[in-house]
């Protein structure tokens, strides 16, 4: 979704236009799914995180200061929701029980396998950079870490992916 279109829809949604809000969320659904999947590695948990994010965005949209940063703001909310789910999951089950079988297409299985082979902190940064198409500066802002750390984690994540693919 283009920034101008996003800004237009945010302005309408802030004026309680439910159709504009629905279109805004639909336009970012695939990106939210990819980011959620990279962190949670489970389709059901991703669906919960995305649903919670949509609700949070709807309730708090008027707190967004600059409309052009909607995508970054929404992604930060999604990441927070994903980490809340991870915290609950850690308290409820052992690490070996995390992955539940789910019906996915071949692409998602390969993506999940590749991403699960790297450390979680690198996985989030790799996903935000390559699938979410965020800049290192935006990722640093979202994760509340220095830009240099994002760059380092990207490099280490790439190295771990290269090992996974045997390069």
């Amino acid at each position: 979704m283009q920034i101008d279109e996003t800004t237009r829809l945010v302005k309408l949604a802030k004026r309680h236009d439910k159709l504009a809000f629905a279109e805004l969320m639909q336009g970012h659904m695939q990106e939210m799914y990819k980011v959620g999947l990279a962190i949670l590695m489970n389709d059901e948990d991703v669906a919960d995180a995305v649903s919670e994010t949509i609700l949070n965005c709807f309730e708090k949209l008027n707190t967004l200061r600059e409309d052009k940063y909607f995508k970054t703001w929404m992604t930060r909310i999604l990441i927070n929701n994903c980490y809340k789910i991870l915290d609950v999951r850690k308290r409820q089950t052992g690490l070996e029980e995390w992955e539940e079988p789910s019906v996915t297409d071949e692409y998602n299985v390969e993506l999940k396998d590749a991403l699960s082979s790297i450390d979680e902190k690198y996985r989030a940064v790799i996903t935000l950079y390559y699938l979410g198409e965020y800049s290192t500066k935006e990722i640093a802002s979202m994760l509340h870490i220095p830009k240099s750390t994002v760059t380092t984690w990207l490099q280490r994540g790439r190295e771990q992916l290269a090992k996974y693919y045997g390069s």
Side-chain angles (χ1 to χ4, degrees), residues 19 37 41-42 45 47 53 72-73 77 88 102 108 128 145 151:
L19 290 176
L37 185 63
M41 306 301 290
N42 177 298
D45 288 342
T53 299
T72 303
W73 176 77
I77 292 170
V88 169
S102 61
N108 286 337
L128 290 169
I145 58 176
T151 304

Side-chain angles (χ1 to χ4, degrees), residues 86 89-90 92-99 120:
L86 284 177
R89 191 191 298 171
K90 284 178 186 176
Q92 290 178 346
T93 62
L95 291 174
E96 64 280 351
E97 297 175 13
W98 277 22
E99 184 67 26
E120 182 181 316

